[in-house]
Amino acid sequence: MQYLSTRGGISPIPFSQAVMMGLASDGGLLLPRNIPRIGAETFSSWSELSYAELAFEIMSRFIDDIPSSNLRDLINRSYASFSSEEVTPLVHHGELHILELFHGPTLAFKDVALQFLGNLFEYLLERDDGYLNIVGATSGDTGSAAIYGVRGKKRIKIFILHPRNRISPVQERQMTTVTDDNVYNIAIEGTFDDGQAVVKALFNDLEFKKTHHLGAINSINWARILAQVVYYVYSCLHVIRHENDKAMDFSIPTGNFGDIFAGYIAKNLLPEGTVRKLVLASNANDILSRFVNMGDYSAAQVQQTSSPSMDIQAASNFERYLYYLLDKDPERTTEAMLEFAEKGRLDLSGYCDQIKRDFSATSVSEEDVEETIRKFHTDYGYLLDPHTAVGVYAGLRHKQNNIPMICLATAHPAKFAETVRKAAGIDPEQPEAIQGLFGKQTRCEIMDADRDSVQEYIRTNALLQTDAE
Ligand SMILES: *Cc1c(COP(=O)(O)O)cnc(C)c1O
């Protein structure tokens, strides 16, 4: 399988190169040349596969430059770190299926992709004799999942900036208790945006970026999307096996359009009609639900909500779907993205019919999130985290008779205990991964949100070619 850029400015590249490139060098996003359609017979033959076996079947259709035995090994190791044998188990409450994606080491769905990406990076760097210094800013969830993805890995160091005292104590501990030699936590005096600005400045210093082999770990890496396709297929097979339904809907709490884009790939990969509708659930930051409902893609001020990982106004994966919407035309995609960069809005109202063939959407208020958590607990004794509650509210709203609805549960409720306690009146049970955090040793550098000092710190500690050997 070859990969192309949504902006058409690079010649086709194989999977490995697409992974190491991250963002396409022409500023676009990388996509497979085509999405293969799985036949009905092949699909039903997957019915009894384990999660890792299924992951291999799916991923190997998009990866042809890693030998099968190595790919199998990478997948097996990535999902052995999950506390559930099924990796992403499906539970049933009332009318809904809840797909639990939070059994990885940091208790959020980002582990599904980042456990795999960490192993993949290590393998490719070893194979190609390279090294990588990952630099990123986090507002909480991504940083810890990224750190757990690469801790202890050879040929990789990771530097994660978080805003000091502005993330939850659990999130902070999840990062700073990782004391492996290759992990550098930096608490900056400032906000998330200050951290993000420092990281951007470092990446814009092209000389520094090149000599230090800087790499990013954000949601635009194709390998992350690919890893997420697997649990859509896994849950479809589960529902078909247990209920004999052939078509189903999904509800997805959405921020960067990454997770839901993986659903779009799954929809196009599986036999036609298996995945029917993708329900896009956003919190009060409703740019994406406005896009689906009215074709209005225009950024507003970011609002803080109880689902912080979805407090986003410019979805970094949106361009991938836009490319399909515009008939895979790189010129029109480029034009549209430049227009959005300039004006902060795009009018896509002419495409509403097409968009609505794939998606429905709802923006969920803070009161409805709280009420959903409370009611779900009262009715079923099951606690939802606030992100999952956004998806559950939208899932119920769009539930059709006789069509199963699978809601993606993206974080464990204990990660957002305060909101859950406020809504349901009880404390979520703490999984082992959280219980141990507060007695552990921590390591973290406190610094000003100042580009020069952060750059100097990275320069001093970064991995060099000689270390890698
Ligand atoms: C990142 C995140 C999301 C949003 O996922 P996107 O791929 O950005 O749409 C939802 N819930 C949780 C808990 C997350 O960490």
Side-chain angles (χ1 to χ4, degrees):
M1 180 68 79
Q2 298 280 299
Y3 288 82
L4 310 171
S5 164
T6 50
R7 307 222 178 157
I10 64 165
S11 35
I13 51 174
F15 175 79
S16 303
Q17 223 175 313
V19 171
M20 296 316 295
M21 195 179 270
L23 188 72
S25 51
D26 63 356
L29 299 186
L30 295 162
L31 279 171
R33 191 195 280 277
N34 66 299
I35 305 172
R37 183 71 86 172
I38 303 298
E41 226 164 281
T42 304
F43 183 47
S44 45
S45 76
W46 290 350
S47 170
E48 302 295 329
L49 297 183
S50 71
Y51 188 94
E53 288 164 344
L54 181 66
F56 175 78
E57 289 300 327
I58 294 166
M59 290 185 184
S60 58
R61 281 164 169 80
F62 292 90
I63 303 174
D64 52 18
D65 57 347
I66 296 177
S68 295
S69 57
N70 297 56
L71 181 59
R72 272 188 205 280
D73 173 59
L74 285 175
I75 293 170
N76 289 341
R77 282 191 288 123
S78 302
Y79 298 110
S81 66
F82 281 60
S83 63
S84 162
E85 204 178 314
E86 288 178 84
V87 182
T88 61
L90 203 64
V91 299
H92 320 281
H93 290 295
E95 289 191 289
L96 301 180
H97 300 277
I98 309 280
L99 178 59
E100 294 185 342
L101 303 175
F102 51 71
H103 295 281
T106 73
L107 309 175
F109 91 99
K110 289 186 172 71
D111 288 326
V112 179
L114 287 169
Q115 285 292 304
F116 176 66
L117 188 62
N119 285 316
L120 185 60
F121 273 152
E122 185 182 50
Y123 168 81
L124 294 175
L125 293 168
E126 192 72 35
R127 187 188 76 180
D128 303 335
D129 191 22
Y131 66 97
L132 190 62
N133 291 296
I134 294 169
V135 180
T138 187
S139 56
D141 271 353
T142 309
S144 57
I147 287 172
Y148 272 83
V150 304
R151 67 184 295 182
K153 299 256 182 284
K154 279 175 266 167
R155 296 171 178 268
I156 303 176
K157 283 193 177 184
I158 185 165
F159 300 83
I160 295 288
L161 281 66
H162 70 262
R164 182 165 181 238
N165 296 333
R166 288 176 199 248
I167 58 177
S168 81
V170 168
Q171 287 177 322
E172 198 228 300
R173 287 273 156 165
Q174 278 186 319
M175 293 194 280
T176 58
T177 54
V178 180
T179 52
D180 298 66
D181 289 344
N182 69 331
V183 174
Y184 296 83
N185 277 293
I186 304 171
I188 54 138
E189 303 283 7
T191 62
F192 166 65
D193 289 333
D194 297 332
Q196 185 89 307
V198 169
V199 169
K200 260 199 190 145
L202 296 180
F203 276 91
N204 283 335
D205 184 339
L206 298 182
E207 186 56 39
F208 182 69
K209 178 174 177 229
K210 191 162 153 231
T211 49
H212 288 82
H213 291 215
L214 293 200
I217 192 135
N218 42 27
S219 72
I220 49 92
N221 199 299
W222 165 256
R224 284 183 66 173
I225 305 281
L226 180 58
Q228 290 170 217
V229 173
V230 176
Y231 51 70
Y232 282 92
V233 180
Y234 188 74
S235 56
C236 283
L237 287 165
H238 182 105
V239 168
I240 291 170
R241 205 163 57 233
H242 289 273
E243 307 197 7
N244 208 22
D245 284 303
K246 294 276 179 268
M248 54 218 83
D249 293 341
F250 281 88
S251 179
I252 304 113
T254 307
N256 263 319
F257 209 82
D259 205 1
I260 196 165
F261 184 75
Y264 177 78
I265 298 286
K267 182 170 165 44
N268 286 281
L269 176 75
L270 295 183
E272 201 143 5
T274 310
V275 177
R276 222 184 51 104
K277 273 277 165 68
L278 300 164
V279 178
L280 184 152
S282 57
N283 62 23
N285 295 287
D286 65 348
I287 176 169
L288 289 167
S289 43
R290 271 185 286 120
F291 160 70
V292 169
N293 288 324
M294 298 178 283
D296 169 26
Y297 190 68
S298 54
Q301 278 284 348
V302 177
Q303 295 183 43
Q304 283 201 0
T305 72
S306 58
S307 43
S309 299
M310 293 154 59
D311 291 346
I312 288 165
Q313 284 286 349
S316 54
N317 272 289
F318 178 73
E319 182 170 343
R320 286 196 159 110
Y321 177 67
L322 186 66
Y323 174 77
Y324 288 108
L325 193 62
L326 301 177
D327 284 331
K328 300 202 211 174
D329 182 338
E331 276 170 35
R332 285 166 69 200
T333 308
T334 308
E335 238 170 70
M337 289 312 294
L338 292 180
E339 187 183 329
F340 179 72
E342 195 187 315
K343 298 187 187 148
R345 69 179 304 265
L346 273 183
D347 178 4
L348 296 159
S349 52
Y351 295 89
C352 272
D353 289 349
Q354 198 181 332
I355 298 167
K356 284 181 180 166
R357 275 202 287 276
D358 293 320
F359 301 97
S360 310
T362 292
S363 153
V364 185
S365 71
E366 288 297 282
E367 297 85 70
D368 287 337
V369 168
E370 227 175 82
E371 175 61 17
T372 304
I373 296 174
R374 191 196 63 72
K375 190 156 187 330
F376 222 76
H377 180 250
T378 309
D379 292 352
Y380 310 113
Y382 185 84
L383 285 175
L384 304 168
D385 105 283
H387 303 78
T388 306
V390 169
V392 164
Y393 179 91
L396 283 170
R397 171 122 186 238
H398 292 275
K399 173 84 177 70
Q400 307 279 310
N401 268 343
N402 304 322
I403 309 269
M405 175 65 79
I406 303 171
C407 295
L408 271 50
T410 53
H412 191 287
K415 258 197 122 160
F416 298 91
E418 222 171 288
T419 307
V420 173
R421 187 187 313 126
K422 186 163 162 247
I426 70 158
D427 269 314
E429 213 171 293
Q430 291 204 338
E432 233 172 278
I434 289 186
Q435 278 169 25
L437 285 179
F438 288 86
K440 278 192 189 161
Q441 213 183 340
T442 62
R443 192 154 61 93
C444 182
E445 193 76 22
I446 299 167
M447 299 179 76
D448 286 329
D450 164 56
R451 175 216 151 137
D452 289 342
S453 12
V454 175
Q455 185 161 21
E456 195 44 44
Y457 181 77
I458 293 176
R459 210 191 296 278
T460 309
N461 292 293
L463 201 58
L464 305 168
Q465 185 67 53
T466 43
D467 305 328
E469 286 155 7

